[in-house]
Amino acid sequence: MNVIRYTLFPVPLFVREDNLFRLSYDHNPTGFIRWDDAQIYNNILLSVPFGFGLPFLRKVSLKRVLLAGVMFGVAIEGSQLVLSLLIRAGYRTVDVNDVMLNFIGVLLGYGCYRLFAAIVRRISSGKKRGLASLLDAAV
């Protein structure tokens, strides 16, 4: 839900003619970083949970994670484009760099999952109950 919240909202409801495709919304939760750096970090951090949680939903290979990472970024940017066209105001920018940064975030999340799964398996060595059995089923 937070992905939708941070990528699509707020939606401008009333747009004056002189503001068409000029609206912007600067939300910088990391005030100590320059905007360009914050945009990079926020796009990556936004998609890390998707990469981490994907193996819990279904069994995935690296090839599927790569495809899901690209599709995740394309879905976010595509929904921003469609919404901007529907309300006839450019309140969000559609950028290929965001797709690549989301892709990197998904890969980082999946890498964190693999590391987490290896640690849990090592700790539970031989026990097939609880989290270890769930991780074995996911990978």
Side-chain angles (χ1 to χ4, degrees):
M1 291 308 289
N2 281 332
V3 172
I4 294 170
R5 177 179 164 207
Y6 288 118
T7 58
L8 296 179
F9 292 103
V11 175
L13 297 178
F14 303 103
V15 180
R16 295 190 328 241
E17 282 297 318
D18 59 340
N19 285 337
L20 287 178
F21 293 101
R22 291 193 186 142
L23 292 176
S24 67
Y25 178 72
D26 291 334
H27 175 66
N28 185 3
T30 53
F32 60 94
I33 302 174
R34 289 189 336 259
W35 173 246
D36 293 333
D37 292 341
Q39 183 179 6
I40 290 169
Y41 298 133
N42 290 337
N43 276 318
I44 290 173
L45 290 175
L46 180 77
S47 54
V48 167
F50 181 77
F52 188 84
L54 188 61
F56 286 106
L57 298 176
R58 64 179 304 161
K59 197 170 191 171
V60 291
S61 63
L62 182 59
K63 184 177 178 181
R64 284 188 181 239
V65 170
L66 295 175
L67 181 63
V70 170
M71 294 309 296
F72 184 74
V74 168
I76 290 172
E77 295 302 311
S79 61
Q80 288 178 354
L81 175 64
V82 167
L83 196 54
S84 291
L85 292 174
L86 286 175
I87 63 172
R88 297 181 31 194
Y91 79 106
R92 294 283 187 196
T93 58
V94 177
D95 195 358
V96 172
N97 294 335
D98 292 345
V99 174
M100 291 186 290
L101 292 171
N102 292 141
F103 175 73
I104 291 169
V106 169
L107 289 182
L108 284 174
Y110 183 69
C112 289
Y113 168 79
R114 297 293 293 192
L115 180 65
F116 174 73
I119 291 170
V120 168
R121 283 191 190 111
R122 182 94 191 240
I123 291 172
S124 64
S125 63
K127 301 174 192 169
K128 291 295 181 183
R129 292 181 306 218
L131 191 56
S133 65
L134 177 66
L135 292 175
D136 284 339
V139 177

PDB file of all heavy atoms in Angstrom, residues 96-133:
ATOM      1  N   VAL A  96      12.762   6.547 -17.075  1.00  0.00           N
ATOM      2  CA  VAL A  96      13.332   5.221 -17.228  1.00  0.00           C
ATOM      3  C   VAL A  96      14.325   4.935 -16.100  1.00  0.00           C
ATOM      4  O   VAL A  96      14.464   3.791 -15.656  1.00  0.00           O
ATOM      5  CB  VAL A  96      14.018   5.079 -18.607  1.00  0.00           C
ATOM      6  CG1 VAL A  96      14.779   3.784 -18.723  1.00  0.00           C
ATOM      7  CG2 VAL A  96      12.995   5.199 -19.710  1.00  0.00           C
ATOM      8  N   ASN A  97      14.990   5.979 -15.600  1.00  0.00           N
ATOM      9  CA  ASN A  97      15.918   5.785 -14.484  1.00  0.00           C
ATOM     10  C   ASN A  97      15.206   5.221 -13.266  1.00  0.00           C
ATOM     11  O   ASN A  97      15.779   4.425 -12.523  1.00  0.00           O
ATOM     12  CB  ASN A  97      16.596   7.107 -14.119  1.00  0.00           C
ATOM     13  CG  ASN A  97      17.486   7.604 -15.224  1.00  0.00           C
ATOM     14  OD1 ASN A  97      17.975   6.824 -16.040  1.00  0.00           O
ATOM     15  ND2 ASN A  97      17.707   8.896 -15.270  1.00  0.00           N
ATOM     16  N   ASP A  98      13.974   5.625 -13.046  1.00  0.00           N
ATOM     17  CA  ASP A  98      13.207   5.098 -11.919  1.00  0.00           C
ATOM     18  C   ASP A  98      12.951   3.597 -12.083  1.00  0.00           C
ATOM     19  O   ASP A  98      12.984   2.850 -11.105  1.00  0.00           O
ATOM     20  CB  ASP A  98      11.875   5.833 -11.769  1.00  0.00           C
ATOM     21  CG  ASP A  98      12.058   7.274 -11.334  1.00  0.00           C
ATOM     22  OD1 ASP A  98      13.166   7.631 -10.886  1.00  0.00           O
ATOM     23  OD2 ASP A  98      11.087   8.045 -11.437  1.00  0.00           O
ATOM     24  N   VAL A  99      12.698   3.170 -13.306  1.00  0.00           N
ATOM     25  CA  VAL A  99      12.497   1.739 -13.561  1.00  0.00           C
ATOM     26  C   VAL A  99      13.769   0.967 -13.223  1.00  0.00           C
ATOM     27  O   VAL A  99      13.729  -0.071 -12.562  1.00  0.00           O
ATOM     28  CB  VAL A  99      12.083   1.485 -15.034  1.00  0.00           C
ATOM     29  CG1 VAL A  99      12.029  -0.001 -15.341  1.00  0.00           C
ATOM     30  CG2 VAL A  99      10.755   2.133 -15.332  1.00  0.00           C
ATOM     31  N   MET A 100      14.915   1.511 -13.636  1.00  0.00           N
ATOM     32  CA  MET A 100      16.186   0.834 -13.337  1.00  0.00           C
ATOM     33  C   MET A 100      16.477   0.826 -11.841  1.00  0.00           C
ATOM     34  O   MET A 100      16.959  -0.180 -11.305  1.00  0.00           O
ATOM     35  CB  MET A 100      17.323   1.504 -14.106  1.00  0.00           C
ATOM     36  CG  MET A 100      17.239   1.279 -15.597  1.00  0.00           C
ATOM     37  SD  MET A 100      18.648   1.897 -16.523  1.00  0.00           S
ATOM     38  CE  MET A 100      18.430   3.657 -16.366  1.00  0.00           C
ATOM     39  N   LEU A 101      16.178   1.928 -11.147  1.00  0.00           N
ATOM     40  CA  LEU A 101      16.414   1.979  -9.703  1.00  0.00           C
ATOM     41  C   LEU A 101      15.471   1.040  -8.955  1.00  0.00           C
ATOM     42  O   LEU A 101      15.881   0.397  -7.978  1.00  0.00           O
ATOM     43  CB  LEU A 101      16.263   3.408  -9.201  1.00  0.00           C
ATOM     44  CG  LEU A 101      17.347   4.381  -9.683  1.00  0.00           C
ATOM     45  CD1 LEU A 101      16.982   5.804  -9.323  1.00  0.00           C
ATOM     46  CD2 LEU A 101      18.699   4.011  -9.119  1.00  0.00           C
ATOM     47  N   ASN A 102      14.222   0.941  -9.402  1.00  0.00           N
ATOM     48  CA  ASN A 102      13.298  -0.019  -8.803  1.00  0.00           C
ATOM     49  C   ASN A 102      13.784  -1.446  -9.031  1.00  0.00           C
ATOM     50  O   ASN A 102      13.683  -2.299  -8.150  1.00  0.00           O
ATOM     51  CB  ASN A 102      11.888   0.148  -9.355  1.00  0.00           C
ATOM     52  CG  ASN A 102      11.227   1.433  -8.932  1.00  0.00           C
ATOM     53  OD1 ASN A 102      10.537   2.070  -9.706  1.00  0.00           O
ATOM     54  ND2 ASN A 102      11.448   1.845  -7.693  1.00  0.00           N
ATOM     55  N   PHE A 103      14.313  -1.707 -10.201  1.00  0.00           N
ATOM     56  CA  PHE A 103      14.872  -3.020 -10.530  1.00  0.00           C
ATOM     57  C   PHE A 103      16.031  -3.357  -9.584  1.00  0.00           C
ATOM     58  O   PHE A 103      16.107  -4.468  -9.045  1.00  0.00           O
ATOM     59  CB  PHE A 103      15.336  -3.027 -11.987  1.00  0.00           C
ATOM     60  CG  PHE A 103      16.043  -4.282 -12.402  1.00  0.00           C
ATOM     61  CD1 PHE A 103      15.345  -5.455 -12.582  1.00  0.00           C
ATOM     62  CD2 PHE A 103      17.406  -4.283 -12.618  1.00  0.00           C
ATOM     63  CE1 PHE A 103      15.984  -6.618 -12.968  1.00  0.00           C
ATOM     64  CE2 PHE A 103      18.061  -5.434 -13.006  1.00  0.00           C
ATOM     65  CZ  PHE A 103      17.348  -6.602 -13.185  1.00  0.00           C
ATOM     66  N   ILE A 104      16.910  -2.398  -9.352  1.00  0.00           N
ATOM     67  CA  ILE A 104      18.027  -2.603  -8.425  1.00  0.00           C
ATOM     68  C   ILE A 104      17.503  -2.878  -7.025  1.00  0.00           C
ATOM     69  O   ILE A 104      18.008  -3.754  -6.315  1.00  0.00           O
ATOM     70  CB  ILE A 104      18.971  -1.379  -8.446  1.00  0.00           C
ATOM     71  CG1 ILE A 104      19.701  -1.316  -9.780  1.00  0.00           C
ATOM     72  CG2 ILE A 104      19.962  -1.425  -7.293  1.00  0.00           C
ATOM     73  CD1 ILE A 104      20.458  -0.018 -10.011  1.00  0.00           C
ATOM     74  N   GLY A 105      16.468  -2.153  -6.615  1.00  0.00           N
ATOM     75  CA  GLY A 105      15.878  -2.382  -5.297  1.00  0.00           C
ATOM     76  C   GLY A 105      15.290  -3.769  -5.152  1.00  0.00           C
ATOM     77  O   GLY A 105      15.440  -4.411  -4.104  1.00  0.00           O
ATOM     78  N   VAL A 106      14.617  -4.260  -6.187  1.00  0.00           N
ATOM     79  CA  VAL A 106      14.055  -5.615  -6.151  1.00  0.00           C
ATOM     80  C   VAL A 106      15.184  -6.639  -6.036  1.00  0.00           C
ATOM     81  O   VAL A 106      15.094  -7.586  -5.255  1.00  0.00           O
ATOM     82  CB  VAL A 106      13.170  -5.889  -7.392  1.00  0.00           C
ATOM     83  CG1 VAL A 106      12.801  -7.350  -7.490  1.00  0.00           C
ATOM     84  CG2 VAL A 106      11.918  -5.030  -7.341  1.00  0.00           C
ATOM     85  N   LEU A 107      16.260  -6.437  -6.777  1.00  0.00           N
ATOM     86  CA  LEU A 107      17.395  -7.363  -6.687  1.00  0.00           C
ATOM     87  C   LEU A 107      18.047  -7.320  -5.310  1.00  0.00           C
ATOM     88  O   LEU A 107      18.427  -8.364  -4.764  1.00  0.00           O
ATOM     89  CB  LEU A 107      18.433  -7.044  -7.763  1.00  0.00           C
ATOM     90  CG  LEU A 107      18.042  -7.378  -9.193  1.00  0.00           C
ATOM     91  CD1 LEU A 107      19.179  -7.046 -10.142  1.00  0.00           C
ATOM     92  CD2 LEU A 107      17.662  -8.831  -9.321  1.00  0.00           C
ATOM     93  N   LEU A 108      18.178  -6.129  -4.734  1.00  0.00           N
ATOM     94  CA  LEU A 108      18.723  -6.022  -3.378  1.00  0.00           C
ATOM     95  C   LEU A 108      17.824  -6.727  -2.363  1.00  0.00           C
ATOM     96  O   LEU A 108      18.314  -7.411  -1.456  1.00  0.00           O
ATOM     97  CB  LEU A 108      18.904  -4.561  -2.984  1.00  0.00           C
ATOM     98  CG  LEU A 108      20.100  -3.840  -3.588  1.00  0.00           C
ATOM     99  CD1 LEU A 108      20.060  -2.360  -3.228  1.00  0.00           C
ATOM    100  CD2 LEU A 108      21.393  -4.469  -3.125  1.00  0.00           C
ATOM    101  N   GLY A 109      16.527  -6.559  -2.517  1.00  0.00           N
ATOM    102  CA  GLY A 109      15.584  -7.235  -1.630  1.00  0.00           C
ATOM    103  C   GLY A 109      15.676  -8.736  -1.750  1.00  0.00           C
ATOM    104  O   GLY A 109      15.659  -9.461  -0.748  1.00  0.00           O
ATOM    105  N   TYR A 110      15.792  -9.237  -2.969  1.00  0.00           N
ATOM    106  CA  TYR A 110      15.929 -10.679  -3.175  1.00  0.00           C
ATOM    107  C   TYR A 110      17.256 -11.183  -2.601  1.00  0.00           C
ATOM    108  O   TYR A 110      17.314 -12.253  -2.000  1.00  0.00           O
ATOM    109  CB  TYR A 110      15.817 -11.019  -4.659  1.00  0.00           C
ATOM    110  CG  TYR A 110      15.866 -12.497  -4.940  1.00  0.00           C
ATOM    111  CD1 TYR A 110      14.819 -13.323  -4.567  1.00  0.00           C
ATOM    112  CD2 TYR A 110      16.961 -13.063  -5.578  1.00  0.00           C
ATOM    113  CE1 TYR A 110      14.854 -14.686  -4.819  1.00  0.00           C
ATOM    114  CE2 TYR A 110      17.007 -14.423  -5.843  1.00  0.00           C
ATOM    115  CZ  TYR A 110      15.950 -15.226  -5.453  1.00  0.00           C
ATOM    116  OH  TYR A 110      15.996 -16.580  -5.700  1.00  0.00           O
ATOM    117  N   GLY A 111      18.313 -10.386  -2.772  1.00  0.00           N
ATOM    118  CA  GLY A 111      19.601 -10.745  -2.182  1.00  0.00           C
ATOM    119  C   GLY A 111      19.526 -10.796  -0.663  1.00  0.00           C
ATOM    120  O   GLY A 111      20.097 -11.696  -0.031  1.00  0.00           O
ATOM    121  N   CYS A 112      18.818  -9.855  -0.062  1.00  0.00           N
ATOM    122  CA  CYS A 112      18.615  -9.870   1.400  1.00  0.00           C
ATOM    123  C   CYS A 112      17.832 -11.105   1.813  1.00  0.00           C
ATOM    124  O   CYS A 112      18.127 -11.715   2.854  1.00  0.00           O
ATOM    125  CB  CYS A 112      17.893  -8.604   1.849  1.00  0.00           C
ATOM    126  SG  CYS A 112      18.888  -7.119   1.754  1.00  0.00           S
ATOM    127  N   TYR A 113      16.840 -11.476   1.018  1.00  0.00           N
ATOM    128  CA  TYR A 113      16.073 -12.690   1.313  1.00  0.00           C
ATOM    129  C   TYR A 113      16.982 -13.911   1.282  1.00  0.00           C
ATOM    130  O   TYR A 113      16.922 -14.758   2.168  1.00  0.00           O
ATOM    131  CB  TYR A 113      14.923 -12.872   0.322  1.00  0.00           C
ATOM    132  CG  TYR A 113      14.319 -14.244   0.430  1.00  0.00           C
ATOM    133  CD1 TYR A 113      13.426 -14.551   1.445  1.00  0.00           C
ATOM    134  CD2 TYR A 113      14.684 -15.259  -0.443  1.00  0.00           C
ATOM    135  CE1 TYR A 113      12.905 -15.827   1.582  1.00  0.00           C
ATOM    136  CE2 TYR A 113      14.177 -16.529  -0.319  1.00  0.00           C
ATOM    137  CZ  TYR A 113      13.277 -16.806   0.697  1.00  0.00           C
ATOM    138  OH  TYR A 113      12.782 -18.064   0.836  1.00  0.00           O
ATOM    139  N   ARG A 114      17.801 -14.020   0.238  1.00  0.00           N
ATOM    140  CA  ARG A 114      18.693 -15.183   0.127  1.00  0.00           C
ATOM    141  C   ARG A 114      19.659 -15.255   1.311  1.00  0.00           C
ATOM    142  O   ARG A 114      19.917 -16.321   1.847  1.00  0.00           O
ATOM    143  CB  ARG A 114      19.475 -15.133  -1.194  1.00  0.00           C
ATOM    144  CG  ARG A 114      18.614 -15.210  -2.438  1.00  0.00           C
ATOM    145  CD  ARG A 114      17.949 -16.503  -2.597  1.00  0.00           C
ATOM    146  NE  ARG A 114      18.952 -17.525  -2.853  1.00  0.00           N
ATOM    147  CZ  ARG A 114      18.680 -18.740  -3.252  1.00  0.00           C
ATOM    148  NH1 ARG A 114      17.432 -19.098  -3.456  1.00  0.00           N
ATOM    149  NH2 ARG A 114      19.627 -19.605  -3.461  1.00  0.00           N
ATOM    150  N   LEU A 115      20.179 -14.099   1.721  1.00  0.00           N
ATOM    151  CA  LEU A 115      21.067 -14.048   2.883  1.00  0.00           C
ATOM    152  C   LEU A 115      20.323 -14.448   4.154  1.00  0.00           C
ATOM    153  O   LEU A 115      20.808 -15.247   4.951  1.00  0.00           O
ATOM    154  CB  LEU A 115      21.666 -12.650   3.027  1.00  0.00           C
ATOM    155  CG  LEU A 115      22.613 -12.430   4.187  1.00  0.00           C
ATOM    156  CD1 LEU A 115      23.871 -13.270   4.004  1.00  0.00           C
ATOM    157  CD2 LEU A 115      22.966 -10.955   4.298  1.00  0.00           C
ATOM    158  N   PHE A 116      19.126 -13.919   4.324  1.00  0.00           N
ATOM    159  CA  PHE A 116      18.291 -14.242   5.470  1.00  0.00           C
ATOM    160  C   PHE A 116      17.960 -15.730   5.497  1.00  0.00           C
ATOM    161  O   PHE A 116      18.039 -16.388   6.537  1.00  0.00           O
ATOM    162  CB  PHE A 116      17.006 -13.404   5.407  1.00  0.00           C
ATOM    163  CG  PHE A 116      15.997 -13.732   6.452  1.00  0.00           C
ATOM    164  CD1 PHE A 116      16.189 -13.365   7.774  1.00  0.00           C
ATOM    165  CD2 PHE A 116      14.829 -14.403   6.111  1.00  0.00           C
ATOM    166  CE1 PHE A 116      15.250 -13.662   8.739  1.00  0.00           C
ATOM    167  CE2 PHE A 116      13.883 -14.705   7.064  1.00  0.00           C
ATOM    168  CZ  PHE A 116      14.091 -14.338   8.386  1.00  0.00           C
ATOM    169  N   ALA A 117      17.617 -16.281   4.338  1.00  0.00           N
ATOM    170  CA  ALA A 117      17.276 -17.710   4.258  1.00  0.00           C
ATOM    171  C   ALA A 117      18.479 -18.571   4.602  1.00  0.00           C
ATOM    172  O   ALA A 117      18.347 -19.587   5.296  1.00  0.00           O
ATOM    173  CB  ALA A 117      16.764 -18.040   2.858  1.00  0.00           C
ATOM    174  N   ALA A 118      19.669 -18.186   4.140  1.00  0.00           N
ATOM    175  CA  ALA A 118      20.875 -18.954   4.445  1.00  0.00           C
ATOM    176  C   ALA A 118      21.180 -18.918   5.944  1.00  0.00           C
ATOM    177  O   ALA A 118      21.562 -19.939   6.530  1.00  0.00           O
ATOM    178  CB  ALA A 118      22.056 -18.413   3.649  1.00  0.00           C
ATOM    179  N   ILE A 119      20.996 -17.770   6.567  1.00  0.00           N
ATOM    180  CA  ILE A 119      21.242 -17.655   8.008  1.00  0.00           C
ATOM    181  C   ILE A 119      20.249 -18.498   8.795  1.00  0.00           C
ATOM    182  O   ILE A 119      20.630 -19.226   9.718  1.00  0.00           O
ATOM    183  CB  ILE A 119      21.190 -16.174   8.446  1.00  0.00           C
ATOM    184  CG1 ILE A 119      22.384 -15.421   7.879  1.00  0.00           C
ATOM    185  CG2 ILE A 119      21.150 -16.048   9.964  1.00  0.00           C
ATOM    186  CD1 ILE A 119      22.310 -13.924   8.050  1.00  0.00           C
ATOM    187  N   VAL A 120      18.979 -18.445   8.414  1.00  0.00           N
ATOM    188  CA  VAL A 120      17.960 -19.235   9.115  1.00  0.00           C
ATOM    189  C   VAL A 120      18.221 -20.721   8.942  1.00  0.00           C
ATOM    190  O   VAL A 120      18.105 -21.501   9.890  1.00  0.00           O
ATOM    191  CB  VAL A 120      16.543 -18.847   8.638  1.00  0.00           C
ATOM    192  CG1 VAL A 120      15.511 -19.838   9.120  1.00  0.00           C
ATOM    193  CG2 VAL A 120      16.203 -17.447   9.094  1.00  0.00           C
ATOM    194  N   ARG A 121      18.586 -21.143   7.748  1.00  0.00           N
ATOM    195  CA  ARG A 121      18.879 -22.565   7.514  1.00  0.00           C
ATOM    196  C   ARG A 121      20.089 -23.010   8.328  1.00  0.00           C
ATOM    197  O   ARG A 121      20.126 -24.114   8.847  1.00  0.00           O
ATOM    198  CB  ARG A 121      19.132 -22.807   6.028  1.00  0.00           C
ATOM    199  CG  ARG A 121      17.877 -22.840   5.222  1.00  0.00           C
ATOM    200  CD  ARG A 121      18.143 -23.349   3.824  1.00  0.00           C
ATOM    201  NE  ARG A 121      16.970 -23.147   3.026  1.00  0.00           N
ATOM    202  CZ  ARG A 121      16.879 -22.277   2.041  1.00  0.00           C
ATOM    203  NH1 ARG A 121      17.901 -21.529   1.699  1.00  0.00           N
ATOM    204  NH2 ARG A 121      15.763 -22.139   1.365  1.00  0.00           N
ATOM    205  N   ARG A 122      21.074 -22.157   8.415  1.00  0.00           N
ATOM    206  CA  ARG A 122      22.287 -22.498   9.175  1.00  0.00           C
ATOM    207  C   ARG A 122      21.973 -22.637  10.661  1.00  0.00           C
ATOM    208  O   ARG A 122      22.472 -23.539  11.328  1.00  0.00           O
ATOM    209  CB  ARG A 122      23.330 -21.398   8.952  1.00  0.00           C
ATOM    210  CG  ARG A 122      24.628 -21.620   9.624  1.00  0.00           C
ATOM    211  CD  ARG A 122      25.556 -22.288   8.641  1.00  0.00           C
ATOM    212  NE  ARG A 122      26.745 -22.762   9.313  1.00  0.00           N
ATOM    213  CZ  ARG A 122      27.949 -22.375   9.032  1.00  0.00           C
ATOM    214  NH1 ARG A 122      28.134 -21.479   8.078  1.00  0.00           N
ATOM    215  NH2 ARG A 122      28.971 -22.861   9.667  1.00  0.00           N
ATOM    216  N   ILE A 123      21.158 -21.726  11.171  1.00  0.00           N
ATOM    217  CA  ILE A 123      20.797 -21.758  12.585  1.00  0.00           C
ATOM    218  C   ILE A 123      19.934 -22.968  12.900  1.00  0.00           C
ATOM    219  O   ILE A 123      20.106 -23.625  13.927  1.00  0.00           O
ATOM    220  CB  ILE A 123      20.076 -20.457  12.996  1.00  0.00           C
ATOM    221  CG1 ILE A 123      21.058 -19.299  12.967  1.00  0.00           C
ATOM    222  CG2 ILE A 123      19.432 -20.582  14.357  1.00  0.00           C
ATOM    223  CD1 ILE A 123      20.418 -17.944  13.157  1.00  0.00           C
ATOM    224  N   SER A 124      19.009 -23.290  12.004  1.00  0.00           N
ATOM    225  CA  SER A 124      18.051 -24.356  12.280  1.00  0.00           C
ATOM    226  C   SER A 124      18.530 -25.720  11.799  1.00  0.00           C
ATOM    227  O   SER A 124      17.789 -26.683  11.911  1.00  0.00           O
ATOM    228  CB  SER A 124      16.708 -24.035  11.650  1.00  0.00           C
ATOM    229  OG  SER A 124      16.840 -23.994  10.255  1.00  0.00           O
ATOM    230  N   SER A 125      19.715 -25.819  11.278  1.00  0.00           N
ATOM    231  CA  SER A 125      20.305 -27.036  10.703  1.00  0.00           C
ATOM    232  C   SER A 125      19.633 -28.341  11.137  1.00  0.00           C
ATOM    233  O   SER A 125      19.820 -28.840  12.231  1.00  0.00           O
ATOM    234  CB  SER A 125      21.793 -27.105  11.051  1.00  0.00           C
ATOM    235  OG  SER A 125      21.953 -27.200  12.459  1.00  0.00           O
ATOM    236  N   GLY A 126      18.856 -28.881  10.245  1.00  0.00           N
ATOM    237  CA  GLY A 126      18.201 -30.158  10.481  1.00  0.00           C
ATOM    238  C   GLY A 126      16.775 -30.051  10.986  1.00  0.00           C
ATOM    239  O   GLY A 126      16.001 -30.975  10.863  1.00  0.00           O
ATOM    240  N   LYS A 127      16.404 -28.934  11.557  1.00  0.00           N
ATOM    241  CA  LYS A 127      15.037 -28.766  12.053  1.00  0.00           C
ATOM    242  C   LYS A 127      14.160 -28.337  10.887  1.00  0.00           C
ATOM    243  O   LYS A 127      14.467 -27.389  10.191  1.00  0.00           O
ATOM    244  CB  LYS A 127      14.983 -27.705  13.148  1.00  0.00           C
ATOM    245  CG  LYS A 127      15.856 -28.011  14.332  1.00  0.00           C
ATOM    246  CD  LYS A 127      15.847 -26.838  15.275  1.00  0.00           C
ATOM    247  CE  LYS A 127      16.923 -26.997  16.322  1.00  0.00           C
ATOM    248  NZ  LYS A 127      17.116 -25.789  17.091  1.00  0.00           N
ATOM    249  N   LYS A 128      13.098 -28.998  10.678  1.00  0.00           N
ATOM    250  CA  LYS A 128      12.197 -28.671   9.568  1.00  0.00           C
ATOM    251  C   LYS A 128      10.865 -28.163  10.074  1.00  0.00           C
ATOM    252  O   LYS A 128       9.816 -28.563   9.619  1.00  0.00           O
ATOM    253  CB  LYS A 128      11.990 -29.902   8.672  1.00  0.00           C
ATOM    254  CG  LYS A 128      13.201 -30.297   7.913  1.00  0.00           C
ATOM    255  CD  LYS A 128      13.559 -29.211   6.922  1.00  0.00           C
ATOM    256  CE  LYS A 128      14.793 -29.623   6.129  1.00  0.00           C
ATOM    257  NZ  LYS A 128      15.225 -28.615   5.231  1.00  0.00           N
ATOM    258  N   ARG A 129      10.896 -27.297  11.057  1.00  0.00           N
ATOM    259  CA  ARG A 129       9.666 -26.709  11.568  1.00  0.00           C
ATOM    260  C   ARG A 129       9.770 -25.197  11.474  1.00  0.00           C
ATOM    261  O   ARG A 129      10.857 -24.634  11.410  1.00  0.00           O
ATOM    262  CB  ARG A 129       9.474 -27.093  13.025  1.00  0.00           C
ATOM    263  CG  ARG A 129       9.181 -28.547  13.250  1.00  0.00           C
ATOM    264  CD  ARG A 129       8.992 -28.781  14.702  1.00  0.00           C
ATOM    265  NE  ARG A 129      10.181 -28.265  15.384  1.00  0.00           N
ATOM    266  CZ  ARG A 129      10.756 -28.814  16.428  1.00  0.00           C
ATOM    267  NH1 ARG A 129      10.252 -29.873  16.942  1.00  0.00           N
ATOM    268  NH2 ARG A 129      11.825 -28.291  16.974  1.00  0.00           N
ATOM    269  N   GLY A 130       8.643 -24.568  11.487  1.00  0.00           N
ATOM    270  CA  GLY A 130       8.578 -23.114  11.565  1.00  0.00           C
ATOM    271  C   GLY A 130       9.131 -22.415  10.346  1.00  0.00           C
ATOM    272  O   GLY A 130       8.851 -22.769   9.207  1.00  0.00           O
ATOM    273  N   LEU A 131       9.982 -21.416  10.586  1.00  0.00           N
ATOM    274  CA  LEU A 131      10.493 -20.567   9.522  1.00  0.00           C
ATOM    275  C   LEU A 131      11.381 -21.329   8.554  1.00  0.00           C
ATOM    276  O   LEU A 131      11.366 -21.065   7.346  1.00  0.00           O
ATOM    277  CB  LEU A 131      11.257 -19.382  10.132  1.00  0.00           C
ATOM    278  CG  LEU A 131      11.639 -18.246   9.222  1.00  0.00           C
ATOM    279  CD1 LEU A 131      10.408 -17.688   8.533  1.00  0.00           C
ATOM    280  CD2 LEU A 131      12.338 -17.166   9.994  1.00  0.00           C
ATOM    281  N   ALA A 132      12.149 -22.289   9.025  1.00  0.00           N
ATOM    282  CA  ALA A 132      13.041 -23.046   8.145  1.00  0.00           C
ATOM    283  C   ALA A 132      12.245 -23.824   7.101  1.00  0.00           C
ATOM    284  O   ALA A 132      12.632 -23.879   5.937  1.00  0.00           O
ATOM    285  CB  ALA A 132      13.913 -23.987   8.961  1.00  0.00           C
ATOM    286  N   SER A 133      11.130 -24.425   7.489  1.00  0.00           N
ATOM    287  CA  SER A 133      10.319 -25.158   6.516  1.00  0.00           C
ATOM    288  C   SER A 133       9.653 -24.215   5.525  1.00  0.00           C
ATOM    289  O   SER A 133       9.513 -24.547   4.350  1.00  0.00           O
ATOM    290  CB  SER A 133       9.273 -26.011   7.231  1.00  0.00           C
ATOM    291  OG  SER A 133       8.358 -25.198   7.908  1.00  0.00           O
TER     292      SER A 133
END
